[in-house]
Amino acid sequence: MNCYIDAGNSRIKAHLARRSQKDVEPAMIDWPPATEPDAVGALATRLEPLLVDEKGRSPKQIVLASVVEDRRREWLETAIAEICPQAQCRWLTVPRKCCHVRVAYESPEGLGIDRFCAMIEAHARHGDRPLAVINAGTAITLDVLGADGQHLGGLILPGWRAQLEALRVTTPALGAAVESLETGEGGAVSAEIPEATRRLGLGADTATAIELGRHWLLASGVNQMLAVWQERLADEGELLAVLSGGDAGRLVDLIDPAIEQRVEDDLVLSGVVRLARARR
Ligand SMILES: Nc1ncnc2c1ncn2[C@@H]1O[C@H](COP(=O)(O)OP(=O)(O)OP(=O)(O)O)[C@@H](O)[C@H]1O
Ligand SMILES: CC(C)(CO)[C@@H](O)C(=O)NCCC(=O)O
């Protein structure tokens, strides 16, 4: 039995699998807060149900794809060693080329492993046409692939929560409005925006102005980028936008219906499994 882990900045996703298993069934946990005095212990408690199955069996090999800083990487390594000391950990790195995808970065190791895994999985699923692979996580990344698997490069944008966090830190006087959006009342604010206001795109109170601001920032950036690359790659076929990540459902609502689009929730973790099993 192997375990595949996608360690993102907000959450950790894991899939416990037998070698022959095809479907990826992700389980998800949050990182312990930075203020947690026993971060490793707290992480091990959260992680154990993901690593040990109902019969008490744990994996022989744990394959990890991580985009977090060294400190949380060490927490993860130590927590895993506590839960299943016999398991061998294998940290994936980005190769120049694998699974028919060739990385645009001059130094492939500089590219996020989550972006690479999402690209190889999207290309394996839809590789006969150009793709925009969009990962709407803590950061939103958007990578363009030619129909032949050549990565043409990408964009990194602050994600939904990160945009609020930036305003909270840099403009403290907006704190109350930001907090109303962050604490879930934000969901209510955004749900209560009347359809006409949504289309006009202007807020007449601070929380709505912030909510519509991030709506339009992402909608205009992403749609403009998709329109440009749809046109540039027209000779290779119609561009398909493949979305994954915690905010994929929100982002897909903002994408121009003229662009073909699909939400595929398990994209990164499936790509982790694909990369781990690939012959290189
Ligand atoms: N329960 C939740 N916990 C954390 N984030 C959530 C939750 N529900 C929705 N989200 C949204 O999902 C986003 C995180 O998505 P995801 O879990 O895919 O990111 P990640 O893989 O941890 O981050 P990244 O890969 O960008 O480092 C958050 O920015 C937030 O807006
Ligand atoms: C951009 C994020 C944070 C998105 O998860 C991750 O892919 C990452 O840390 N990337 C490294 C930098 C890069 O991809 O250029």
Side-chain angles (χ1 to χ4, degrees):
M1 196 164 59
N2 283 354
C3 183
Y4 300 88
I5 293 185
D6 161 26
N9 280 292
S10 299
R11 297 184 282 191
I12 301 170
K13 296 114 204 161
H15 165 60
L16 201 55
R18 307 200 171 285
R19 197 164 278 279
S20 56
Q21 189 175 339
K22 290 256 155 58
D23 307 341
V24 166
E25 292 161 14
M28 204 153 23
I29 56 162
D30 291 328
W31 286 99
T35 49
E36 168 63 53
D38 176 17
V40 171
L43 182 58
T45 306
R46 291 167 189 216
L47 207 52
E48 191 167 356
L50 275 54
L51 295 185
V52 181
D53 75 6
E54 64 289 348
K55 291 184 180 152
R57 293 172 301 197
S58 58
K60 284 203 176 67
Q61 184 175 213
I62 300 179
V63 178
L64 298 115
S66 156
V67 295
V68 298
E69 75 288 0
D70 290 347
R71 186 179 61 132
R72 282 192 288 175
R73 199 178 140 126
E74 278 161 28
W75 291 357
L76 197 50
E77 208 155 28
T78 316
I80 289 172
E82 272 179 23
I83 302 163
C84 29
Q86 80 294 350
Q88 183 209 340
C89 282
R90 178 177 159 209
W91 295 85
L92 294 178
T93 54
V94 178
R96 175 156 301 285
K97 179 179 179 225
C98 189
C99 305
H100 310 288
V101 171
R102 285 178 306 282
V103 171
Y105 278 31
E106 207 175 306
S107 306
E109 62 278 7
L111 181 76
I113 186 78
D114 53 348
R115 297 172 64 185
F116 185 73
C117 289
M119 286 195 281
I120 59 169
E121 189 59 28
H123 184 69
R125 294 180 187 180
H126 315 284
D128 52 345
R129 58 193 295 190
L131 298 174
V133 181
I134 303 176
N135 232 327
T138 316
I140 297 174
T141 57
L142 198 157
D143 285 287
V144 178
L145 285 175
D148 63 354
Q150 176 62 52
H151 174 219
L152 302 171
L155 304 176
I156 303 175
L157 303 153
W160 244 276
R161 279 196 187 171
Q163 290 189 39
L164 283 191
E165 188 61 18
L167 284 178
R168 200 178 58 76
V169 171
T170 56
T171 52
L174 297 185
V178 166
E179 204 163 308
S180 76
L181 292 163
E182 267 175 345
T183 52
E185 284 169 44
V189 169
S190 112
E192 280 164 13
I193 297 173
E195 189 52 35
T197 311
R198 235 184 242 283
R199 265 187 258 120
L200 283 173
L202 297 175
D205 63 82
T206 310
T208 307
I210 294 172
E211 181 61 10
L212 288 174
R214 57 180 176 165
H215 172 129
W216 283 114
L217 187 67
L218 289 174
S220 33
V222 171
N223 283 321
Q224 194 172 349
M225 199 277 190
L226 291 174
V228 166
W229 285 93
Q230 158 112 300
E231 201 184 314
R232 284 200 192 167
L233 297 175
D235 290 349
E236 298 183 22
E238 203 188 331
L239 185 77
L240 172 68
V242 186
L243 292 97
S244 66
D247 287 317
R250 304 166 89 171
L251 190 58
V252 81
D253 285 344
L254 305 182
I255 292 183
D256 182 346
I259 303 278
E260 198 181 330
Q261 53 203 265
R262 244 171 248 190
V263 175
E264 299 187 354
D265 290 325
D266 58 343
L267 204 65
V268 173
L269 203 49
S270 298
V272 172
V273 176
R274 187 174 294 280
L275 179 59
R277 291 179 178 168
R279 251 191 243 140
R280 292 202 245 164

